[in-house]
PDB file of all heavy atoms in Angstrom:
ATOM      1  N   VAL X 525       3.573  62.116 -18.943  1.00  0.00           N
ATOM      2  CA  VAL X 525       2.775  61.886 -20.149  1.00  0.00           C
ATOM      3  C   VAL X 525       1.566  62.809 -20.165  1.00  0.00           C
ATOM      4  O   VAL X 525       1.221  63.398 -21.198  1.00  0.00           O
ATOM      5  CB  VAL X 525       2.336  60.406 -20.232  1.00  0.00           C
ATOM      6  CG1 VAL X 525       1.278  60.215 -21.314  1.00  0.00           C
ATOM      7  CG2 VAL X 525       3.534  59.521 -20.520  1.00  0.00           C
ATOM      8  N   ASP X 526       0.916  62.956 -19.015  1.00  0.00           N
ATOM      9  CA  ASP X 526      -0.243  63.838 -18.927  1.00  0.00           C
ATOM     10  C   ASP X 526       0.149  65.279 -19.262  1.00  0.00           C
ATOM     11  O   ASP X 526      -0.558  65.978 -20.001  1.00  0.00           O
ATOM     12  CB  ASP X 526      -0.833  63.755 -17.524  1.00  0.00           C
ATOM     13  CG  ASP X 526      -2.159  64.494 -17.406  1.00  0.00           C
ATOM     14  OD1 ASP X 526      -3.015  64.299 -18.282  1.00  0.00           O
ATOM     15  OD2 ASP X 526      -2.326  65.275 -16.455  1.00  0.00           O
ATOM     16  N   TYR X 527       1.272  65.732 -18.730  1.00  0.00           N
ATOM     17  CA  TYR X 527       1.744  67.092 -19.017  1.00  0.00           C
ATOM     18  C   TYR X 527       2.101  67.241 -20.500  1.00  0.00           C
ATOM     19  O   TYR X 527       1.739  68.239 -21.138  1.00  0.00           O
ATOM     20  CB  TYR X 527       2.953  67.417 -18.147  1.00  0.00           C
ATOM     21  CG  TYR X 527       3.590  68.751 -18.465  1.00  0.00           C
ATOM     22  CD1 TYR X 527       3.044  69.946 -17.990  1.00  0.00           C
ATOM     23  CD2 TYR X 527       4.745  68.824 -19.248  1.00  0.00           C
ATOM     24  CE1 TYR X 527       3.623  71.160 -18.293  1.00  0.00           C
ATOM     25  CE2 TYR X 527       5.334  70.038 -19.556  1.00  0.00           C
ATOM     26  CZ  TYR X 527       4.762  71.208 -19.078  1.00  0.00           C
ATOM     27  OH  TYR X 527       5.332  72.407 -19.381  1.00  0.00           O
ATOM     28  N   ASP X 528       2.820  66.265 -21.043  1.00  0.00           N
ATOM     29  CA  ASP X 528       3.225  66.338 -22.454  1.00  0.00           C
ATOM     30  C   ASP X 528       2.021  66.315 -23.383  1.00  0.00           C
ATOM     31  O   ASP X 528       2.007  66.993 -24.423  1.00  0.00           O
ATOM     32  CB  ASP X 528       4.169  65.183 -22.798  1.00  0.00           C
ATOM     33  CG  ASP X 528       5.527  65.332 -22.130  1.00  0.00           C
ATOM     34  OD1 ASP X 528       5.863  66.466 -21.737  1.00  0.00           O
ATOM     35  OD2 ASP X 528       6.248  64.323 -22.004  1.00  0.00           O
ATOM     36  N   LEU X 529       0.997  65.526 -23.038  1.00  0.00           N
ATOM     37  CA  LEU X 529      -0.192  65.462 -23.879  1.00  0.00           C
ATOM     38  C   LEU X 529      -0.947  66.789 -23.858  1.00  0.00           C
ATOM     39  O   LEU X 529      -1.493  67.219 -24.884  1.00  0.00           O
ATOM     40  CB  LEU X 529      -1.107  64.328 -23.413  1.00  0.00           C
ATOM     41  CG  LEU X 529      -0.619  62.905 -23.699  1.00  0.00           C
ATOM     42  CD1 LEU X 529      -1.579  61.887 -23.102  1.00  0.00           C
ATOM     43  CD2 LEU X 529      -0.464  62.666 -25.191  1.00  0.00           C
ATOM     44  N   LYS X 530      -0.983  67.435 -22.690  1.00  0.00           N
ATOM     45  CA  LYS X 530      -1.647  68.736 -22.621  1.00  0.00           C
ATOM     46  C   LYS X 530      -0.888  69.783 -23.437  1.00  0.00           C
ATOM     47  O   LYS X 530      -1.498  70.696 -23.993  1.00  0.00           O
ATOM     48  CB  LYS X 530      -1.757  69.181 -21.165  1.00  0.00           C
ATOM     49  CG  LYS X 530      -2.740  68.349 -20.342  1.00  0.00           C
ATOM     50  CD  LYS X 530      -2.783  68.810 -18.900  1.00  0.00           C
ATOM     51  CE  LYS X 530      -3.770  67.964 -18.089  1.00  0.00           C
ATOM     52  NZ  LYS X 530      -3.796  68.360 -16.663  1.00  0.00           N
ATOM     53  N   ALA X 531       0.449  69.648 -23.484  1.00  0.00           N
ATOM     54  CA  ALA X 531       1.256  70.618 -24.235  1.00  0.00           C
ATOM     55  C   ALA X 531       1.428  70.230 -25.698  1.00  0.00           C
ATOM     56  O   ALA X 531       2.007  70.992 -26.469  1.00  0.00           O
ATOM     57  CB  ALA X 531       2.632  70.751 -23.578  1.00  0.00           C
ATOM     58  N   LEU X 532       0.914  69.035 -26.081  1.00  0.00           N
ATOM     59  CA  LEU X 532       1.136  68.554 -27.441  1.00  0.00           C
ATOM     60  C   LEU X 532       0.471  69.473 -28.474  1.00  0.00           C
ATOM     61  O   LEU X 532       1.076  69.790 -29.504  1.00  0.00           O
ATOM     62  CB  LEU X 532       0.592  67.132 -27.576  1.00  0.00           C
ATOM     63  CG  LEU X 532       0.771  66.466 -28.943  1.00  0.00           C
ATOM     64  CD1 LEU X 532       2.253  66.322 -29.264  1.00  0.00           C
ATOM     65  CD2 LEU X 532       0.093  65.098 -28.964  1.00  0.00           C
ATOM     66  N   SER X 533      -0.757  69.903 -28.188  1.00  0.00           N
ATOM     67  CA  SER X 533      -1.463  70.755 -29.152  1.00  0.00           C
ATOM     68  C   SER X 533      -0.724  72.067 -29.376  1.00  0.00           C
ATOM     69  O   SER X 533      -0.596  72.534 -30.516  1.00  0.00           O
ATOM     70  CB  SER X 533      -2.883  71.033 -28.651  1.00  0.00           C
ATOM     71  OG  SER X 533      -3.625  69.838 -28.568  1.00  0.00           O
ATOM     72  N   SER X 534      -0.220  72.654 -28.283  1.00  0.00           N
ATOM     73  CA  SER X 534       0.496  73.926 -28.422  1.00  0.00           C
ATOM     74  C   SER X 534       1.809  73.763 -29.174  1.00  0.00           C
ATOM     75  O   SER X 534       2.302  74.708 -29.789  1.00  0.00           O
ATOM     76  CB  SER X 534       0.758  74.529 -27.040  1.00  0.00           C
ATOM     77  OG  SER X 534       1.571  73.675 -26.255  1.00  0.00           O
ATOM     78  N   GLN X 535       2.385  72.555 -29.142  1.00  0.00           N
ATOM     79  CA  GLN X 535       3.626  72.305 -29.872  1.00  0.00           C
ATOM     80  C   GLN X 535       3.370  72.015 -31.344  1.00  0.00           C
ATOM     81  O   GLN X 535       4.178  72.387 -32.208  1.00  0.00           O
ATOM     82  CB  GLN X 535       4.378  71.133 -29.227  1.00  0.00           C
ATOM     83  CG  GLN X 535       4.904  71.429 -27.837  1.00  0.00           C
ATOM     84  CD  GLN X 535       5.550  70.201 -27.201  1.00  0.00           C
ATOM     85  OE1 GLN X 535       5.232  69.064 -27.555  1.00  0.00           O
ATOM     86  NE2 GLN X 535       6.451  70.425 -26.266  1.00  0.00           N
ATOM     87  N   ILE X 536       2.269  71.345 -31.646  1.00  0.00           N
ATOM     88  CA  ILE X 536       1.987  70.953 -33.020  1.00  0.00           C
ATOM     89  C   ILE X 536       1.297  72.071 -33.804  1.00  0.00           C
ATOM     90  O   ILE X 536       1.498  72.208 -35.010  1.00  0.00           O
ATOM     91  CB  ILE X 536       1.137  69.659 -33.041  1.00  0.00           C
ATOM     92  CG1 ILE X 536       1.965  68.493 -32.510  1.00  0.00           C
ATOM     93  CG2 ILE X 536       0.635  69.343 -34.433  1.00  0.00           C
ATOM     94  CD1 ILE X 536       1.236  67.180 -32.505  1.00  0.00           C
ATOM     95  N   GLU X 537       0.496  72.875 -33.130  1.00  0.00           N
ATOM     96  CA  GLU X 537      -0.262  73.915 -33.825  1.00  0.00           C
ATOM     97  C   GLU X 537       0.617  74.838 -34.661  1.00  0.00           C
ATOM     98  O   GLU X 537       0.274  75.134 -35.811  1.00  0.00           O
ATOM     99  CB  GLU X 537      -1.077  74.717 -32.814  1.00  0.00           C
ATOM    100  CG  GLU X 537      -2.377  74.038 -32.424  1.00  0.00           C
ATOM    101  CD  GLU X 537      -3.165  74.864 -31.429  1.00  0.00           C
ATOM    102  OE1 GLU X 537      -2.734  76.001 -31.125  1.00  0.00           O
ATOM    103  OE2 GLU X 537      -4.194  74.385 -30.954  1.00  0.00           O
ATOM    104  N   PRO X 538       1.764  75.351 -34.153  1.00  0.00           N
ATOM    105  CA  PRO X 538       2.604  76.210 -35.017  1.00  0.00           C
ATOM    106  C   PRO X 538       3.082  75.502 -36.278  1.00  0.00           C
ATOM    107  O   PRO X 538       3.126  76.105 -37.358  1.00  0.00           O
ATOM    108  CB  PRO X 538       3.780  76.579 -34.105  1.00  0.00           C
ATOM    109  CG  PRO X 538       3.249  76.421 -32.726  1.00  0.00           C
ATOM    110  CD  PRO X 538       2.296  75.285 -32.786  1.00  0.00           C
ATOM    111  N   ILE X 539       3.429  74.212 -36.155  1.00  0.00           N
ATOM    112  CA  ILE X 539       3.878  73.459 -37.327  1.00  0.00           C
ATOM    113  C   ILE X 539       2.747  73.335 -38.344  1.00  0.00           C
ATOM    114  O   ILE X 539       2.943  73.524 -39.562  1.00  0.00           O
ATOM    115  CB  ILE X 539       4.382  72.064 -36.897  1.00  0.00           C
ATOM    116  CG1 ILE X 539       5.562  72.212 -35.924  1.00  0.00           C
ATOM    117  CG2 ILE X 539       4.791  71.238 -38.101  1.00  0.00           C
ATOM    118  CD1 ILE X 539       6.053  70.900 -35.364  1.00  0.00           C
ATOM    119  N   LEU X 540       1.542  73.022 -37.854  1.00  0.00           N
ATOM    120  CA  LEU X 540       0.398  72.894 -38.759  1.00  0.00           C
ATOM    121  C   LEU X 540       0.056  74.230 -39.410  1.00  0.00           C
ATOM    122  O   LEU X 540      -0.265  74.289 -40.608  1.00  0.00           O
ATOM    123  CB  LEU X 540      -0.811  72.349 -37.988  1.00  0.00           C
ATOM    124  CG  LEU X 540      -0.689  70.933 -37.424  1.00  0.00           C
ATOM    125  CD1 LEU X 540      -1.927  70.573 -36.627  1.00  0.00           C
ATOM    126  CD2 LEU X 540      -0.461  69.924 -38.528  1.00  0.00           C
ATOM    127  N   ILE X 541       0.109  75.317 -38.636  1.00  0.00           N
ATOM    128  CA  ILE X 541      -0.216  76.639 -39.184  1.00  0.00           C
ATOM    129  C   ILE X 541       0.792  77.042 -40.254  1.00  0.00           C
ATOM    130  O   ILE X 541       0.423  77.553 -41.329  1.00  0.00           O
ATOM    131  CB  ILE X 541      -0.264  77.681 -38.045  1.00  0.00           C
ATOM    132  CG1 ILE X 541      -1.461  77.400 -37.129  1.00  0.00           C
ATOM    133  CG2 ILE X 541      -0.366  79.095 -38.617  1.00  0.00           C
ATOM    134  CD1 ILE X 541      -1.507  78.272 -35.897  1.00  0.00           C
ATOM    135  N   ILE X 542       2.078  76.794 -39.988  1.00  0.00           N
ATOM    136  CA  ILE X 542       3.107  77.135 -40.981  1.00  0.00           C
ATOM    137  C   ILE X 542       2.936  76.302 -42.243  1.00  0.00           C
ATOM    138  O   ILE X 542       3.026  76.815 -43.373  1.00  0.00           O
ATOM    139  CB  ILE X 542       4.510  76.946 -40.375  1.00  0.00           C
ATOM    140  CG1 ILE X 542       4.748  77.974 -39.259  1.00  0.00           C
ATOM    141  CG2 ILE X 542       5.582  77.076 -41.451  1.00  0.00           C
ATOM    142  CD1 ILE X 542       6.052  77.761 -38.521  1.00  0.00           C
TER     143      ILE X 542
END
Side-chain angles (χ1 to χ4, degrees):
V525 168
D526 188 47
Y527 175 80
D528 290 340
L529 288 176
K530 291 179 180 178
L532 181 62
S533 297
S534 62
Q535 293 176 335
I536 293 181
E537 279 180 5
I539 300 175
L540 295 177
I541 292 174
I542 293 174

